[in-house]
Amino acid sequence: MPARTPSAPRVFVLALLATGAPALAAAPPAASSAVVTGSVPGSTAPPAASGTRAPGAPTPGAVVQGELAPLKVKPVDGPRLSLQPAHPKPGDPVLVTVSGASALPTGTLAGRPLRFFAWNDGYAALTSLPVEQPEGTVPVDVTAAGRGLPVLLSGALTVGSPGFRERELRVASKYVSPPKAVKARMEADRKAFAAAFAQPFRAPLFGQNFAWPREATVTAPYGDRRSFNGKLQTQHFGVDLDGATGSPVVAANDGTVVMVRDNYASGNTVLVHHGAGLYTAYFHLSRIDVKDGATVKQGDALGLVGSTGRVTGPHLHWGVKADDRWVDGQTLLKLDFTGAPEAPGVATNTPGLGNP
């Protein structure tokens, strides 16, 4: 019986069995499937199985037609911490900003909880230093969620000397030793202030930096230690701005009016709530031009300069309250709410808590 000539498929299979894996490597790919090969920049190409490369094989490291080139992806930054001002003094407001976080952060400044809110492309919290804060370093610790486990951002503020002045003022004796007849009024004033400052915490009502309520000379800065008629010792928790009776007073920023009242010590008073636990106060007005509950924009008229209440002459006492503390309004004017630069050297990602 004549010998049968093996069919082509059987010849191919026998060839594979005889030659082993190298023949498989040299075999051309099937037309129905795409094979993508290549090397990642910086990696080492595997050595050839033997001698010269197989016919049609790409040069090691070369990009051939149909190959997917490595994508260049910009790395995603993890959470970053920014503190303003970088070198505060006692009684200053402090703006804490976190960028690159995927959820609302938590944290403390000198052990005091921070109340964060969504702000611009990140999160922020507005807090304050007490007027009694000693010089030295104040720790700031914030936990922020990145792309992985939470990250601890540890920072520090270096608090300098306040440089508060000592002053003696002369006022009507009834303001130093109030008669019994006005004590009930003073208690009613205290309760009215407490109610006005008890607004629920909410996101800021403003979208720009703060501005002066009037352009005028500062006659008494924040923090002055005062003696009235040589007896009563107090501290000045506002900024006094010069002005003749009838000069205009405007809102320092957008907000809602939460007090319109004639108080015993502060006279005709307007309080504006700006959200984020922040308020501005306008004392001693001769006339009030807004109503309680009114919405105001930066630059809107609030009233006129006067000399009502406990004063030595016509002027505007401008107060700022942040996170339940009276703070320096001149420092508030320096805070950048529109995109604070990161303060160098104040925050680091703590190793071991996960990478963003």
Side-chain angles (χ1 to χ4, degrees):
M1 186 173 182
R4 296 176 58 186
T5 303
S7 63
R10 288 190 62 191
V11 172
F12 181 66
V13 171
L14 292 172
L16 291 180
L17 293 174
T19 57
L24 284 172
S32 60
S33 63
V35 178
V36 179
T37 61
S39 61
V40 178
S43 63
T44 303
S50 62
T52 60
R53 57 191 177 88
T59 303
V63 177
V64 298
Q65 186 175 4
E67 180 180 354
L68 296 180
L71 296 177
K72 294 183 178 179
V73 180
K74 183 179 180 180
V76 179
D77 289 335
R80 295 291 184 270
L81 180 66
S82 174
L83 304 174
Q84 292 186 72
H87 302 288
K89 64 183 184 304
D92 272 352
V94 176
L95 180 62
V96 181
T97 306
V98 176
S99 60
S102 60
L104 195 70
T106 60
T108 60
L109 188 150
R112 185 181 180 90
L114 296 170
R115 294 184 290 181
F116 280 95
F117 48 86
W119 187 246
N120 293 332
D121 294 328
Y123 301 92
L126 187 64
T127 186
S128 55
L129 295 174
V131 71
E132 307 87 3
Q133 178 70 45
E135 295 181 53
T137 300
V138 174
V140 182
D141 294 305
V142 174
T143 301
R147 292 187 300 157
L149 296 175
V151 175
L152 176 63
L153 304 174
S154 297
L157 291 171
T158 302
V159 181
S161 173
F164 297 142
R165 302 186 307 178
E166 300 282 347
R167 301 186 68 193
E168 182 169 344
L169 302 175
R170 306 296 299 180
V171 297
S173 59
K174 66 178 181 178
Y175 292 115
V176 177
S177 301
K180 292 182 180 180
V182 300
K183 287 186 177 180
R185 180 186 176 189
M186 294 176 68
E187 177 60 17
D189 292 344
R190 186 193 65 77
K191 291 180 178 179
F193 271 101
F197 288 136
Q199 304 301 315
F201 186 83
R202 58 168 301 169
L205 299 171
F206 58 92
Q208 64 278 325
N209 295 332
F210 280 73
W212 286 109
R214 58 177 279 100
E215 294 291 339
T217 302
V218 174
T219 56
Y222 172 92
D224 276 1
R225 295 188 178 95
R226 295 175 165 185
S227 173
F228 289 92
N229 299 356
K231 296 181 180 179
L232 183 64
Q233 296 289 335
T234 66
Q235 194 156 15
H236 188 226
F237 293 132
V239 177
D240 285 351
L241 298 171
D242 194 18
T245 299
S247 300
V249 175
V250 301
N253 216 329
D254 304 353
T256 301
V257 176
V258 292
M259 174 186 278
V260 171
R261 181 182 173 86
D262 178 14
N263 297 294
Y264 182 73
S266 60
N268 289 331
T269 300
V270 173
L271 295 183
V272 178
H273 178 218
H274 301 283
L278 179 63
Y279 301 81
T280 52
Y282 309 79
F283 291 178
H284 311 309
L285 302 175
S286 61
R287 190 182 79 192
I288 296 176
D289 293 330
V290 290
K291 294 183 178 180
D292 198 1
T295 297
V296 295
K297 296 295 185 181
Q298 187 178 72
D300 284 355
L302 298 180
L304 304 177
V305 171
S307 56
T308 56
R310 186 175 68 184
V311 294
T312 57
H315 70 280
L316 171 67
H317 171 104
W318 182 49
V320 175
K321 200 165 193 180
D323 199 16
D324 297 325
R325 290 175 176 142
W326 290 108
V327 297
D328 190 349
Q330 288 185 273
T331 302
L332 176 67
L333 295 174
K334 298 175 183 178
L335 298 183
D336 182 9
F337 289 90
T338 62
E342 184 177 341
V346 301
T348 57
N349 288 2
T350 300
L353 291 183
N355 294 320

